[in-house]
C-alpha cells in the first residue's frame, strides 16, 4: 500500500483504522461560530465523523500528502499553494493511479477518495495516520516537510498489515504563529476563527470583507501564509524536495494587485485557468486586489481604482470606494 502510494507520486502516506472520530472538537468549533458562513461543515455529520458511514465496510483510511514547497523566494500576493496548478487536480490524478494499482493486487476493492470537497476530515486523518501533528496554527505539520503540504484521503474496505501511530505534537512552547497572525484569528492554540482569518475572507467569503480586516490584505490577495512563514519547521527545512514542476508559479502569481485589478474579465479568467484561485475570478480576486491596493495606499493604482468605483459587482465597488478613500 505504501509503496503503491509513493509510486503514484505522493510525498507522504499514512494508514489508520477506519473508526469514528471524536465529535467534540468539531461541534465546539461550530457552536462558537468559528465556521463563519461555511454551514456545510455542520452538515452530514455522521458521515464527516465516521468513514464507515461513507463507505460501508470501511476498514482503513489512507492519508496522502503532496509537498508544494519551492526553493526560490518568490514575491507574490498569492499563497504558495495556489501559485501554480490546482492541487485538487494533482491529488485526483494521483489517486486514480493509486486505485488502479490497488485493484491490480486486490481485485474488487471498494474505495472512497476525497480532496477536501467531500465529507472526509483530511487533516484529522493525516494526524491520526502519523503524517504529522496539528500545530497551534491549525495546520498539519510534518517534521520533514513542515506544513507545506496539501492533503487527501482514501477509504478502503480492506485491512492492511500494519497501521501507523498518530503524530506527536512537537510545537512545544513555541507561539510564533499565534503572535504573527495579522488579524489575531486564533482564539486558542490550534483553533482558527474563520471570521478573522484572511484565508477565509479572501477565498470563501464572496461578499464584503469587514472593514476592520481590510488593512491586513496588504501584500495578500488570495490566502495567507504568515502563520506558516514564521513556523520553525518551515524555516529550517531548506532541503525539502521541490514539488512537481506543474506546481511552479504561473504568470498570474507574479502580477501586482494593481495589475490584477486592471485585467479584463476574459484575460483574468484565462490566466487563472487551472489554478486554485480560478474559483475567485474575476470578481473576488479583483475585490481582494483592491483591498490590497487600499491597504498599501498605492497611489500609482489610483486610475484603475477610480474606474472600479462604479463597477457592477457590489463587493468590487465597495472595495474600490474604500481603496480610494485610503489613497486620498
Amino acid at each position: 500500500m505504501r509503496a503503491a502510494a509513493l509510486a503514484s507520486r505522493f510525498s507522504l502516506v499514512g494508514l489508520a483504522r477506519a473508526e469514528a472520530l471524536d465529535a467534540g472538537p468539531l461541534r465546539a468549533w461550530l457552536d462558537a461560530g468559528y465556521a463563519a458562513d461555511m454551514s456545510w461543515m455542520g452538515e452530514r455529520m455522521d458521515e464527516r465523523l465516521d468513514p464507515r458511514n461513507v463507505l460501508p465496510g470501511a476498514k482503513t483510511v489512507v492519508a496522502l500528502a503532496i509537498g508544494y514547497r519551492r526553493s526560490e523566494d518568490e514575491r507574490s500576493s498569492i499563497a504558495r499553494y495556489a501559485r501554480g496548478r490546482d492541487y485538487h487536480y494533482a491529488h485526483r490524478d494521483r489517486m486514480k493511479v493509486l486505485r488502479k494499482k490497488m485493484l491490480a493486487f486486490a481485485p474488487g476493492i471498494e474505495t472512497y477518495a476525497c480532496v477536501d470537497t467531500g465529507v472526509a476530515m483530511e487533516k484529522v486523518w493525516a494526524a491520526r495516520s502519523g503524517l504529522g501533528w496539528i500545530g497551534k496554527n491549525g495546520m498539519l505539520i510534518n517534521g520533514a516537510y513542515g506544513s507545506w503540504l496539501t492533503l487527501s484521503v482514501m477509504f478502503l474496505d480492506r485491512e492492511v498489515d500494519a497501521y501507523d501511530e498518530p503524530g506527536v505534537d512537537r510545537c512545544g512552547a513555541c507561539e510564533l504563529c499565534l503572535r504573527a497572525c495579522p488579524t489575531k484569528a486564533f482564539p486558542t492554540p490550534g483553533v482558527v476563527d474563520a471570521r478573522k482569518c484572511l484565508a477565509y475572507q479572501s477565498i470563501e467569503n464572496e461578499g464584503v470583507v469587514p472593514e476592520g480586516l481590510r488593512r491586513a490584505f496588504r501584500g495578500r490577495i488570495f490566502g495567507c501564509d504568515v502563520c506558516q512563514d514564521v513556523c520553525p519547521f518551515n524555516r529550517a527545512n531548506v532541503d525539502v524536495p521541490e514539488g512537481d514542476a506543474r506546481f511552479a508559479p504561473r504568470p498570474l502569481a507574479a502580477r501586482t494587485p494593481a495589475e490584477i485589478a486592471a485585467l479584463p474579465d476574459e484575460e483574468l479568467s484565462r490566466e487563472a485557468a487551472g489554478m486554485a484561485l480560478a474559483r475567485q475570478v474575476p470578481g473576488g480576486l479583483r475585490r481582494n486586489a483592491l483591498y490590497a491596493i487600499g491597504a498599501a495606499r498605492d497611489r500609482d493604482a489610483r486610475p484603475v481604482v477610480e474606474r472600479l468605483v462604479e463597477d457592477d459587482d457590489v463587493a468590487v465597488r465597495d472595495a474600490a470606494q474604500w481603496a480610494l478613500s485610503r489613497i486620498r
Side-chain angles (χ1 to χ4, degrees), residues 9 65 104-105 119 139 150 155 169-170 177 192 218 285 303 312 328:
R9 296 188 298 136
F105 60 77
V119 295
M139 306 287 291
T150 55
F155 301 158
D169 189 333
R170 293 170 57 188
C177 58
V192 182
R218 181 167 185 163
L285 203 60
D312 292 337
R328 286 173 176 165

Side-chain angles (χ1 to χ4, degrees), residues 8-328:
S8 301
R9 296 188 298 136
F10 285 101
S11 304
L12 297 169
V13 56
L15 303 169
R17 295 185 183 280
E19 301 170 336
L21 298 172
D22 178 8
L26 176 58
R27 294 192 186 281
W29 185 73
L30 291 168
D31 291 344
Y34 295 152
D37 65 355
M38 295 184 289
S39 58
W40 48 268
M41 286 295 294
E43 299 171 356
R44 301 173 64 185
M45 292 287 280
D46 290 344
E47 295 174 281
R48 196 173 297 280
L49 294 167
D50 194 333
R52 295 166 296 187
N53 292 328
V54 179
L55 177 67
K59 299 290 194 302
T60 300
V61 176
V62 184
L64 303 159
I66 300 176
Y68 62 87
R69 179 188 180 277
R70 303 194 63 79
S71 59
E72 64 266 30
D73 183 20
E74 311 133 2
R75 291 185 62 83
S76 177
S77 54
I78 296 170
R80 284 179 175 82
Y81 81 89
R83 294 175 185 173
R85 184 175 187 250
D86 189 338
Y87 69 94
H88 294 88
Y89 300 150
H91 277 273
R92 288 167 184 160
D93 290 347
R94 297 176 195 195
M95 283 194 290
K96 288 178 182 177
V97 174
L98 176 57
R99 189 171 187 278
K100 288 181 179 179
K101 291 180 182 295
M102 289 190 296
L103 283 169
F105 60 77
I109 189 172
E110 293 292 334
T111 66
Y112 169 85
C114 180
V115 195
D116 82 11
T117 54
V119 295
M121 305 279 283
E122 292 95 338
K123 184 169 57 178
V124 177
W125 283 114
R128 182 172 284 203
S129 302
L131 297 193
W133 68 97
I134 297 176
K136 292 179 181 177
N137 61 359
M139 306 287 291
L140 181 88
I141 304 176
N142 175 272
Y145 283 83
S147 61
W148 307 122
L149 295 164
T150 55
L151 306 173
S152 60
V153 296
M154 184 178 287
F155 301 158
L156 313 178
D157 68 348
R158 307 290 175 89
E159 292 187 339
V160 295
D161 293 336
Y163 292 97
D164 296 299
E165 293 295 321
V168 177
D169 189 333
R170 293 170 57 188
C171 287
C174 179
E175 293 187 344
L176 289 175
C177 58
L178 305 183
R179 297 199 297 268
C181 179
T183 55
K184 308 304 177 188
F186 301 106
T188 58
V191 177
V192 182
D193 184 347
R195 297 169 299 185
K196 296 182 179 180
C197 179
L198 288 182
Y200 165 80
Q201 291 293 346
S202 63
I203 301 172
E204 300 293 341
N205 181 9
E206 298 179 355
V208 173
V209 172
E211 190 164 341
L213 301 177
R214 297 179 187 182
R215 293 187 185 186
F217 272 77
R218 181 167 185 163
R220 306 178 186 94
I221 64 171
F222 190 89
C224 177
D225 283 331
V226 171
C227 66
Q228 298 190 83
D229 287 334
V230 301
C231 178
F233 287 95
N234 287 333
R235 301 177 70 178
N237 296 333
V238 296
D239 296 325
V240 173
E242 289 195 352
D244 191 292
R246 287 174 293 182
F247 291 118
R250 296 187 177 182
L252 186 59
R255 288 191 177 275
T256 66
E259 290 173 335
I260 289 174
L263 283 177
D265 287 0
E266 298 77 9
E267 188 172 350
L268 191 54
S269 296
R270 183 170 62 252
E271 289 201 19
M275 301 174 72
L277 48 73
R279 61 185 293 187
Q280 275 289 48
V281 171
L285 203 60
R286 186 171 290 124
R287 176 205 65 178
N288 295 345
L290 288 164
Y291 288 143
I293 290 168
R297 297 184 187 274
D298 183 1
R299 291 177 174 81
D300 292 337
R302 182 165 181 161
V304 67
V305 174
E306 290 180 333
R307 177 167 57 83
L308 292 171
V309 293
E310 300 296 335
D311 194 85
D312 292 337
D313 187 310
V314 173
V316 170
R317 185 166 64 245
D318 178 82
Q321 292 168 350
W322 178 80
L324 187 59
S325 71
R326 293 272 298 170
I327 292 172
R328 286 173 176 165

